[in-house]
Amino acid sequence: MTDDNTVDKLKGKAKETTGKLTGDRRKESEGKTDQAKAKAGGAMDEAGERAKGMKDSLTDDDGR
């Protein structure tokens, strides 16, 4: 996970907790949604890095 995704996940967790403590179901749901978005963003970043690594491993040392 990148730093931005980690921050977004923590913000989402804070929103969720605030919603639970105040009984605000909408805020709780927003927090859960924010966390899911951050997790998905991290997965996309990781998939991109893996694809790049695979491409690099398939090319010859001289760049072909």
Side-chain angles (χ1 to χ4, degrees), residues 39-55:
K39 187 174 181 180
M44 291 299 295
D45 291 344
E46 186 176 320
E49 289 296 319
R50 286 186 181 183
K52 184 180 177 201
M54 183 175 267
K55 176 187 163 249

Side-chain angles (χ1 to χ4, degrees), residues 9 17 22 25 35 44 51 56-57:
K9 189 173 181 181
T17 302
T22 61
R25 289 186 157 191
Q35 290 176 71
M44 291 299 295
D56 290 345
S57 69

Side-chain angles (χ1 to χ4, degrees), residues 30-44:
E30 285 177 10
K32 288 180 180 181
T33 301
D34 290 347
Q35 290 176 71
K37 285 181 187 177
K39 187 174 181 180
M44 291 299 295

